Amino acid sequence: MIASERMLSKLDLLVELTDKERTAVQALPFRISRQPAKADIVREGDWPSSSFIILEGFVATSKNTGEGARAITALHVPGDMPDLMSLHLPEMDCDVRAITNCVLAFVEHDQLRTLCREYPRLLHGLWKGTLIEAAVYRESVVNIGHRSALARLAHFFCEMMIRTNANQRKARAHFPLPLTQTDLADITGMSTVHVNRSLQSLRATNAISYDQGQVIIHRWEELLSMADFNPAYLHLPEEALTIGTDGHLKSLAPKGGA
Amino acid sequence: MIASERMLSKLDLLVELTDKERTAVQALPFRISRQPAKADIVREGDWPSSSFIILEGFVATSKNTGEGARAITALHVPGDMPDLMSLHLPEMDCDVRAITNCVLAFVEHDQLRTLCREYPRLLHGLWKGTLIEAAVYRESVVNIGHRSALARLAHFFCEMMIRTNANQRKARAHFPLPLTQTDLADITGMSTVHVNRSLQSLRATNAISYDQGQVIIHRWEELLSMADFNPAYLHLPEEALTIGTDGHLKSLAPKGGA
DNA sequence: CGTCGTATTGAAATCCTTCAATACGAGTGG
DNA sequence: CCACTCGTATTGAAGGATTTCAATACGACG
């Protein structure tokens, strides 16, 4: 996939674009870079002069605790720009690592700044993207701090189901999520042993399968309720929340108004 | 304190401003509103047409879990704009509540949008502010997910020490933090009983006192190490991290480079 | 064919929650 | 002024969720 296309389809979830704005994004000079699984892309303390958009693969932002444990603060999927914050925060406060093999497209900050200066709506879109990222963090704080191990995992799967499918035409009840149980532990703040056991309980409900890095959702409604999941915090347009039907998934419109 | 002054001193921590930009901020039409403790300021699901800056008091953003528990995702101090995200995310994904009595200054979104259009550097500053908020969430995810109860509390006190003092000339080792233990429980994701006990352990180290909503830090270095705290994620300028000396606090410059 | 990372399982230890009771101060109405 | 209530802080004890330690299994890879 071409970098500008990926960036445009992400921006389409955030703002309405004119042809002129699309052309401006297409004119951005991207530098494609392939990274193997586990590669450090950016490190805490770095002062990047460019940011990247993920074309393929999974990327995590993580921080190390004093005891040497690695905490994954967020998992990023194709279309995300995990280190966009460096456009305004000069020094990185977290590591950015490739979880799987991945393909990234880098753009110089200067290019992005020029783009933002000339096309305020694109700036608006990028800002909005970072605000949604913050909303995801907010939900993470709730998830990790206030839900049981089982619910935490279920919630994570729900979120990934939506986010990895957000720019597809047809969302599928079957999607790749090639994480180790150690990754899941670092994401959810639990031990690998307990991830293993909770995963077994989760499978035992028959709501979901998770093998070989492939998630298959069998009973979406049940998974939602186990996870206490409401997709509103993802701030996706209605279309992106209406899950297509390759399996037996229905719509995801939040229930009832404010 | 005048609203525009508060906003300017916050912005001064984020970007360098020209006199013209200062004047533009001073010209903003603020609407002052007093809120009693526990008042709902904005609710999940609302579509606000204005945002506010805190002049006095503490405000929390919170979400309710399915089991009816209230999770506080962030605590905001004077100078913060807790619902600024509504400028770009139309629907609120969390509640915003007054923790203490507080004084707020509301500005219409239209006014902010005009300001941003005419003064890109102010826009830059506001965006940067939201990015720092995201960085605080990142650290929260680490704190809640990967540290012990004692460290979690210690970390929270460290953060509040820095953030409440960031716009003072002279930081003090003594500052107000009028929270109930229930609030602390909702913030750190623990039970009130355990907050109570952890607080006692924390006091027993003689690093800190916390009574009557007043924090007194006796041994900053020790508190830092208990908390595994590094202020880099707050992205404050050097000056704001150099703690003055009313007690016996030293500088806070992060140790060693990347 | 040995090694390494990952998944799985058992058992013991511990952190933390829950339940339950008491204490204390502020505010309210008699 | 007293009795009453309510929110908050504190303590004890029991139970449960999760971690840690330790061992085994399994597949990928060189």
Side-chain angles (χ1 to χ4, degrees):
Chain A
M1 162 162 307
I2 295 181
S4 58
E5 287 312 308
R6 183 55 96 175
M7 186 159 173
L8 282 172
S9 74
K10 171 74 168 194
L11 284 166
D12 279 332
L13 296 172
L14 300 165
V15 284
E16 306 242 320
L17 298 182
T18 64
D19 286 346
K20 230 175 132 184
E21 287 155 348
R22 304 188 105 76
T23 310
V25 171
Q26 280 157 355
L28 281 176
F30 288 99
R31 180 174 61 77
I32 304 300
S33 160
R34 288 168 190 277
Q35 297 285 336
K38 300 187 189 178
D40 279 325
I41 302 167
V42 193
R43 295 252 191 79
E44 190 172 341
D46 283 357
W47 290 53
S49 61
S50 60
S51 288
F52 67 88
I53 182 164
I54 305 174
L55 301 187
E56 289 170 34
F58 290 85
V59 167
T61 51
S62 62
K63 303 184 91 166
N64 296 308
T65 69
E67 292 90 41
R70 176 186 69 153
I72 293 182
T73 56
L75 187 66
H76 301 275
V77 306
D80 289 348
M81 301 183 73
D83 67 344
L84 185 57
M85 78 285 249
S86 62
L87 191 60
H88 293 304
L89 303 178
E91 180 173 334
M92 289 296 293
D93 60 60
C94 59
D95 297 323
V96 183
R97 291 178 70 234
I99 292 288
T100 61
N101 294 338
C102 50
V103 183
L104 315 175
F106 282 85
V107 212
E108 293 298 313
H109 284 168
D110 286 346
Q111 300 287 341
L112 288 175
R113 277 188 255 270
T114 304
L115 192 77
C116 286
R117 194 177 325 116
E118 292 178 17
Y119 300 94
R121 189 148 30 179
L122 292 176
L123 179 153
H124 173 188
L126 292 177
W127 187 354
K128 186 173 173 185
T130 63
L131 288 169
I132 292 177
E133 201 181 302
V136 171
Y137 281 126
R138 252 195 300 282
E139 184 68 22
S140 259
V141 168
V142 177
N143 197 39
I144 295 176
H146 298 264
R147 285 197 261 258
S148 71
L150 193 74
R152 257 182 268 180
L153 279 173
H155 192 283
F156 175 70
F157 286 121
C158 288
E159 183 180 310
M160 282 300 123
M161 167 71 198
I162 307 287
R163 284 177 54 206
T164 60
N165 279 307
N167 27 23
Q168 314 294 140
R169 289 179 187 280
K170 238 189 207 172
R172 287 155 302 172
H174 180 217
F175 63 98
L177 191 66
L179 303 174
T180 65
Q181 293 185 358
T182 305
D183 292 329
L184 281 173
D186 292 341
I187 290 169
T188 54
M190 31 200 284
S191 67
T192 58
V193 172
H194 203 51
V195 165
N196 185 288
R197 289 185 172 127
S198 302
L199 232 30
Q200 292 178 40
S201 321
L202 201 52
R203 279 190 279 249
T205 65
N206 290 318
I208 188 173
S209 313
Y210 182 45
D211 275 308
Q212 314 280 12
Q214 295 285 325
V215 175
I216 306 176
I217 293 175
H218 302 296
R219 303 195 200 163
W220 179 240
E221 304 292 346
E222 197 174 330
L223 189 64
L224 284 178
S225 88
M226 274 193 291
D228 183 28
F229 185 84
N230 179 330
Y233 73 95
L234 293 170
H235 296 273
L236 289 167
E238 192 66 35
E239 315 88 73
L241 283 177
T242 307
I243 301 291
T245 43
D246 135 274
H248 28 290
L249 301 189
K250 299 290 173 56
S251 154
L252 262 178
K255 40 200 159 174
Chain B
M1 161 162 309
I2 295 180
S4 57
E5 288 310 309
R6 183 55 96 175
M7 185 157 174
L8 282 172
S9 74
K10 172 74 168 194
L11 283 166
D12 280 331
L13 296 172
L14 299 167
V15 284
E16 305 242 319
L17 297 182
T18 64
D19 286 346
K20 230 176 132 184
E21 287 155 350
R22 304 189 104 75
T23 311
V25 171
Q26 279 156 357
L28 281 175
F30 288 100
R31 181 176 59 79
I32 304 298
S33 160
R34 289 169 189 277
Q35 297 286 336
K38 300 185 189 179
D40 279 325
I41 302 167
V42 194
R43 295 255 191 76
E44 191 173 340
D46 283 358
W47 291 52
S49 60
S50 59
S51 288
F52 67 89
I53 181 164
I54 306 174
L55 301 186
E56 289 170 33
F58 290 85
V59 167
T61 51
S62 61
K63 303 185 90 165
N64 296 308
T65 68
E67 291 89 42
R70 176 186 68 154
I72 293 183
T73 56
L75 187 66
H76 300 276
V77 305
D80 289 348
M81 301 184 71
D83 67 343
L84 185 57
M85 78 286 248
S86 62
L87 192 59
H88 293 303
L89 303 179
E91 179 173 335
M92 290 296 295
D93 60 59
C94 58
D95 296 324
V96 183
R97 290 178 71 233
I99 292 288
T100 62
N101 293 339
C102 49
V103 184
L104 314 175
F106 282 84
V107 211
E108 294 297 314
H109 284 169
D110 287 345
Q111 299 286 341
L112 288 175
R113 277 187 254 270
T114 304
L115 193 76
C116 286
R117 195 177 325 116
E118 292 177 18
Y119 300 93
R121 190 147 31 179
L122 293 176
L123 179 154
H124 173 188
L126 292 177
W127 187 355
K128 186 173 172 184
T130 63
L131 288 170
I132 292 177
E133 200 182 302
V136 171
Y137 281 125
R138 254 195 297 283
E139 185 68 23
S140 260
V141 167
V142 177
N143 198 38
I144 295 175
H146 297 264
R147 285 197 262 258
S148 70
L150 193 74
R152 256 183 268 181
L153 280 173
H155 192 283
F156 175 70
F157 286 121
C158 289
E159 183 179 310
M160 282 300 123
M161 168 71 198
I162 306 285
R163 283 177 54 206
T164 59
N165 278 307
N167 28 20
Q168 314 293 141
R169 289 178 188 280
K170 238 189 207 173
R172 286 155 303 173
H174 180 217
F175 63 98
L177 190 67
L179 304 174
T180 65
Q181 294 186 356
T182 306
D183 292 328
L184 280 174
D186 292 341
I187 290 169
T188 54
M190 32 201 282
S191 67
T192 59
V193 172
H194 203 52
V195 165
N196 185 287
R197 289 184 172 127
S198 303
L199 232 29
Q200 292 178 40
S201 322
L202 202 52
R203 278 190 279 250
T205 65
N206 290 318
I208 190 174
S209 312
Y210 183 44
D211 275 308
Q212 315 279 10
Q214 295 285 326
V215 175
I216 307 176
I217 292 175
H218 301 297
R219 303 193 200 165
W220 179 241
E221 305 291 347
E222 197 174 331
L223 189 65
L224 284 177
S225 86
M226 272 193 293
D228 182 26
F229 184 83
N230 178 330
Y233 72 94
L234 293 170
H235 296 275
L236 289 167
E238 193 65 38
E239 316 86 73
L241 282 178
T242 308
I243 301 291
T245 44
D246 134 275
H248 28 291
L249 301 190
K250 298 291 174 57
S251 154
L252 261 179
K255 39 200 160 172

